[in-house]
């Protein structure tokens, strides 16, 4: 009988021990899971941030390289002061047109030499509101006053510094002149002594400029570029 009374006590202690272990494990595992999940999310977030920073760094570097190529082209243009009033002078209409065609061909040729024809869609040369021309398939809209444009104001306030402006719809083209969304690269050209300094403006195709971004978005990610009003112009 004594043995029968001792067995339940021994079983009770054993089961209490087992239940205690089960309770400890049951409580510890969810707690550990929560801690693990917290650090996993934190680690994943850090990885995402590092990955995004790396993409931004590499993409910026590639875009900088493209802009550097445009800079090199500009330096060539700035040494060739062959745009001016004489381009619009001549004894006959045919002579004037011939001069302008040759000038356009030399500009297009230089852009091709630097292999920038996929990026630069045109070049606007400006000395004043009466002496300006666009090489790129259409004339300057005569109803548009360049000296009153916001981007020209910012350029003049920069005291000769080169300006990247945009993206925006090409405002100096006629409405039916095939306006595209571009980024303007504006740099001094000709005389800069007057209150309205001259410039050369390259229209940079936005999609071509964003090619390095597209190369890093092959995994389904998306990026949107907005203009100054917040409207999406590239996605």
């Amino acid at each position: 009988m004594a043995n029968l009374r001792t067995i339940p006590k021994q079983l009770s202690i054993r089961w209490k021990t087992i239940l205690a272990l089960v309770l400890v494990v049951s409580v510890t595992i969810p707690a550990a899971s929560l801690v693990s999940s917290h650090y996993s999310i934190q680690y994943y977030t850090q990885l995402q941030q590092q990955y995004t920073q790396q993409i931004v760094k590499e993409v910026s570097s590639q875009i900088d390289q493209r802009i550097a190529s445009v800079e090199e082209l500009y330096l060539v243009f700035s040494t060739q002061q062959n745009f001016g009033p004489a381009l619009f002078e001549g004894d006959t209409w045919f002579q004037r047109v011939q001069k302008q065609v040759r000038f356009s061909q030399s500009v297009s040729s230089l852009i091709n030499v630097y292999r920038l024809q996929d990026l630069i869609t045109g070049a606007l040369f400006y000395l004043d509101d009466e002496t300006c021309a666009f090489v790129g398939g259409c004339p300057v809209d005569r109803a548009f006053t360049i000296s009153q444009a916001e981007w020209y104001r910012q350029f003049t306030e920069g005291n000769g510094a080169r300006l990247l402006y945009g993206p925006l719809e090409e405002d100096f083209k006629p409405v039916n002149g095939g306006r595209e969304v571009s980024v303007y690269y504006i740099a001094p050209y000709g005389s800069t002594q007057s209150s309205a300094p001259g410039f050369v403006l390259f229209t940079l195709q936005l999609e071509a400029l964003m090619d390095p971004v597209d190369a890093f978005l092959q995994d389904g990610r998306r990026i949107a570029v907005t203009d100054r009003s917040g409207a999406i112009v590239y996605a």
Side-chain angles (χ1 to χ4, degrees):
M1 295 295 293
N3 290 334
L4 290 177
R5 285 196 296 269
T6 56
I7 289 174
K9 290 181 179 179
Q10 292 174 357
L11 288 174
S12 176
I13 294 171
R14 180 188 176 197
W15 281 107
K16 284 181 179 179
T17 305
I18 292 173
L19 288 172
L21 287 172
V22 170
L23 181 62
V24 171
V25 171
S26 299
V27 172
T28 304
I29 288 177
S33 297
L34 289 173
V35 173
S36 177
S37 297
H38 171 73
Y39 282 106
S40 294
I41 293 172
Q42 200 173 41
Y43 178 67
Y44 178 74
T45 302
Q46 290 176 349
L47 285 180
Q48 285 290 93
Q49 291 174 345
Q50 291 174 3
Y51 178 69
T52 302
Q53 290 172 356
Q54 183 63 23
I55 287 179
V56 170
K57 183 178 179 181
E58 293 186 27
V59 167
S60 298
S61 175
Q62 292 193 32
I63 292 178
D64 286 345
Q65 289 177 16
R66 303 217 75 182
I67 297 300
S69 298
V70 177
E71 289 271 341
E72 291 181 17
L73 179 63
Y74 160 69
L75 292 176
V76 174
F77 275 107
S78 65
T79 59
Q80 298 180 0
Q81 305 292 344
N82 53 356
F83 177 80
L87 195 64
F88 303 92
E89 297 171 353
D91 295 333
T92 65
W93 175 86
F94 178 78
Q95 288 179 339
R96 294 193 296 272
V97 170
Q98 190 176 42
K99 285 182 180 181
Q100 294 168 22
V101 168
R102 287 175 179 171
F103 176 75
S104 296
Q105 289 175 339
S106 67
V107 170
S108 298
S109 177
L110 271 175
I111 292 173
N112 290 336
V113 165
Y114 279 81
R115 298 181 179 179
L116 291 171
Q117 62 271 22
D118 65 323
L119 176 61
I120 298 177
T121 58
L124 172 63
F125 295 84
Y126 175 91
L127 297 182
D128 54 52
D129 285 334
E130 300 300 323
T131 311
C132 59
F134 178 66
V135 178
C138 71
V140 176
D141 184 0
R142 291 302 174 184
F144 182 79
T145 305
I146 291 176
S147 59
Q148 295 179 4
E150 171 62 19
W151 48 265
Y152 184 73
R153 183 188 66 79
Q154 290 193 25
F155 170 68
T156 56
E157 288 179 352
N159 296 320
R162 297 161 202 175
L163 174 68
L164 276 177
Y165 186 94
L168 74 162
E169 189 177 74
E170 296 165 334
D171 50 3
F172 60 83
K173 288 184 177 181
V175 175
N176 59 351
R179 292 181 175 182
E180 298 180 356
V181 175
S182 299
V183 173
Y184 292 173
Y185 172 93
I186 313 172
Y189 186 87
S191 174
T192 58
Q193 302 302 317
S194 65
S195 58
F199 65 82
V200 58
L201 181 157
F202 296 125
T203 51
L204 309 182
Q205 186 182 44
L206 181 60
E207 290 188 359
L209 192 62
M210 296 298 289
D211 279 347
V213 176
D214 292 335
F216 284 95
L217 298 179
Q218 301 298 323
D219 54 358
R221 288 180 171 82
R222 291 292 181 267
I223 189 170
V225 177
T226 64
D227 61 16
R228 293 170 182 267
S229 68
I232 296 176
V233 296
Y234 176 86

